Amino acid sequence: MEELEMRTKTINTLAFVMLAFLAISMGACRSSKKTVRNEFGREIQMPCDEKKHRSDNEFIRASQVARSSDLSLSKEKAFLMTQERIASLIESSLRAAARRYANERGIASDFDFAERMESMIVSSVNHTSNMMSIICEETFVNDNGVYTTAMTLEISKEGVLSGLFNRQNRERHFRLDEDMRDFEKLFNEETLKENRW
């Protein structure tokens, strides 16, 4: 009996020593570097990445994503959403440029000027839809048969401004080439503001 107790104690002691050794060994294998956890999660690559398709000095660009269980509907929705987005960018840039132009000319309180500019901006935006070009279109389908289409459209700033600087508007607002250049400069500055985000 005494021999059995001795063996049990020896086995228990050996087991304890082995466990202690394993624990120390595992602790030594750990890296001394602390793991830095990204609070934002991992970065993802977007289709038709806006970083690659941003507005520049020549073009206004916009990207959108749409989903549908029907492939053609997914593409159509992406096109319409992107078209709406780019029209919104054009309109807001034209409005901001018009406000700055009026302030710099000292005619910000001129109601007639504001009303004519409003009409001119709406007309110009309405004529831009047929000038837009698709520069990126990527479509994906998931396991559930849902299609996702990413799309980027662009429109030339020159095309937008040529509609704005048509003969009638030149006669009313932009009598001098210098006036048109000043407005164009303001418009370009406004369209590039979105890239600052």
Side-chain angles (χ1 to χ4, degrees):
M1 186 85 155
E2 214 175 283
E3 193 176 316
L4 184 62
E5 283 180 25
M6 280 289 263
R7 271 191 195 160
T8 306
K9 282 184 183 180
T10 306
I11 291 172
N12 285 343
T13 304
L14 275 170
F16 177 75
V17 169
M18 286 177 68
L19 285 173
F21 178 74
L22 280 172
I24 291 170
S25 297
M26 290 179 90
C29 289
R30 286 188 186 165
S31 171
S32 60
K33 291 183 182 178
K34 291 186 177 181
T35 303
V36 178
R37 189 171 185 196
N38 184 347
E39 294 178 29
F40 302 113
R42 64 182 174 84
E43 185 178 2
I44 58 170
Q45 294 298 318
M46 293 297 292
C48 292
D49 188 3
E50 282 190 324
K51 289 178 185 175
K52 295 176 188 172
H53 298 108
R54 286 187 171 181
S55 296
D56 59 25
N57 289 325
E58 293 181 46
F59 295 96
I60 299 170
R61 296 183 179 102
S63 299
Q64 289 293 317
V65 176
R67 292 177 181 80
S68 176
S69 56
D70 179 80
L71 175 61
S72 60
L73 191 56
S74 168
K75 290 181 177 194
E76 187 178 328
K77 282 172 60 177
F79 180 76
L80 292 173
M81 288 170 60
T82 311
Q83 193 177 40
E84 187 177 300
R85 173 72 177 138
I86 204 168
S88 172
L89 289 173
I90 292 166
E91 184 176 355
S92 64
S93 297
L94 285 172
R95 287 181 189 284
R99 277 193 302 275
R100 288 177 60 192
Y101 181 81
N103 285 333
E104 288 179 13
R105 293 283 182 270
I107 53 174
S109 59
D110 183 345
F111 180 76
D112 288 337
F113 175 81
E115 200 170 73
R116 287 191 307 260
M117 285 299 282
E118 174 71 19
S119 169
M120 186 171 65
I121 288 169
V122 169
S123 172
S124 182
V125 171
N126 288 341
H127 287 92
T128 59
S129 60
N130 62 346
M131 295 189 286
M132 296 179 193
S133 302
I134 299 172
I135 60 168
C136 179
E137 181 181 338
E138 297 177 11
T139 302
F140 307 88
V141 63
N142 66 16
D143 295 339
N144 298 325
V146 175
Y147 295 93
T148 301
T149 301
M151 189 172 290
T152 301
L153 294 177
E154 75 176 8
I155 186 168
S156 118
K157 290 182 184 181
E158 187 179 318
V160 173
L161 290 173
S162 70
L164 195 69
F165 296 148
N166 66 29
R167 183 176 175 182
Q168 182 183 359
N169 290 332
R170 269 201 316 271
E171 289 171 2
R172 284 187 181 176
H173 308 293
F174 306 107
R175 292 188 177 92
L176 303 173
D177 287 345
E178 183 182 335
D179 291 338
M180 290 188 289
R181 281 194 299 272
D182 289 347
F183 189 88
E184 184 175 355
K185 179 179 176 281
L186 296 172
F187 176 69
N188 284 331
E189 288 172 7
E190 292 299 327
T191 59
L192 293 174
K193 279 184 179 179
E194 183 158 326
N195 291 344
R196 296 179 193 158
W197 300 21

